[in-house]
Amino acid sequence: NVTVISSSEKKKREALEHLGADDYVVSSDETQMQKIADSLDYIIDTVPVGHPLEPYLSLLKVDGKLILMGVINTPLQFVSPMVMLGRKAITGSFIGSIKETEEMLEFWKEKGLSSMIEVVKMDYINKAFERLEKNDVRYRFVVDVAGSKLQ
């Protein structure tokens, strides 16, 4: 099962109908978060800014993993017993090896998952950064370097 955790309801329809998610939880809704406590094997955390980890660690089963994919430029803070008592792990990766990337793509194919991206050219990169700062991206930018006219 794939559960999407987001800060608001605004992506719910897309997540369930287009991205193949089985469930959708709003992270600021304590009732929803409590309902899925101790139920997830792992969480892929793509938030690129500092944020509390405890609410997400509480969702993991024993031996669960919180995998950080967003680059956070501040020290991580969490209560260590939450990790120790559940034998939970916090790990991260910028990108996997080619083998890991192939495994991830095969997993997505098997599960019928998809992603939503916006392809931009290099001449749009400054505008893309402005939009990132305004949280105006659905869901990721992909920069088309090959299709850009570079001088």
Side-chain angles (χ1 to χ4, degrees):
N1 285 336
V2 175
T3 300
V4 171
I5 303 168
S6 189
S7 59
S8 74
E9 291 276 345
K10 67 182 181 180
K11 299 175 185 175
K12 184 175 184 174
R13 183 170 170 258
E14 290 172 324
L16 295 172
E17 295 178 14
H18 301 292
L19 299 178
D22 300 296
D23 197 9
Y24 188 93
V25 173
V26 177
S27 59
S28 59
D29 185 324
E30 289 182 34
T31 303
Q32 288 184 34
M33 292 288 278
Q34 187 62 37
K35 187 176 174 184
I36 64 165
D38 303 314
S39 69
L40 304 177
D41 295 306
Y42 59 89
I43 296 172
I44 300 172
D45 183 336
T46 63
V47 179
V49 295
H51 58 285
L53 300 182
E54 283 93 349
Y56 304 100
L57 289 168
S58 71
L59 304 179
L60 295 170
K61 294 177 181 177
V62 171
D63 293 324
K65 289 185 181 183
L66 177 61
I67 305 162
L68 303 176
M69 301 299 289
V71 177
I72 302 171
N73 292 322
T74 57
L76 297 177
Q77 294 184 351
F78 55 91
V79 179
S80 61
M82 185 171 266
V83 175
M84 294 174 194
L85 294 173
R87 295 191 317 250
K88 298 172 184 178
I90 299 172
T91 186
S93 176
F94 277 120
I95 187 168
S97 65
I98 291 175
K99 182 180 183 294
E100 290 171 321
T101 302
E102 288 171 345
E103 288 172 0
M104 182 270 309
L105 290 172
E106 187 59 33
F107 174 83
W108 277 57
K109 180 181 171 186
E110 287 173 14
K111 302 298 181 187
L113 302 174
S114 64
S115 62
M116 296 177 81
I117 61 169
E118 185 175 338
V119 178
V120 298
K121 305 265 191 248
M122 286 299 292
D123 61 357
Y124 189 80
I125 202 76
N126 289 334
K127 182 71 174 169
F129 276 112
E130 290 172 14
R131 288 183 54 203
L132 278 170
E133 290 173 350
K134 295 176 186 172
N135 199 21
D136 179 32
V137 183
R138 281 291 237 268
Y139 288 89
R140 295 284 180 259
F141 282 127
V142 173
V143 180
D144 178 9
V145 176
S148 298
K149 294 178 182 162
L150 303 174
Q151 297 178 1

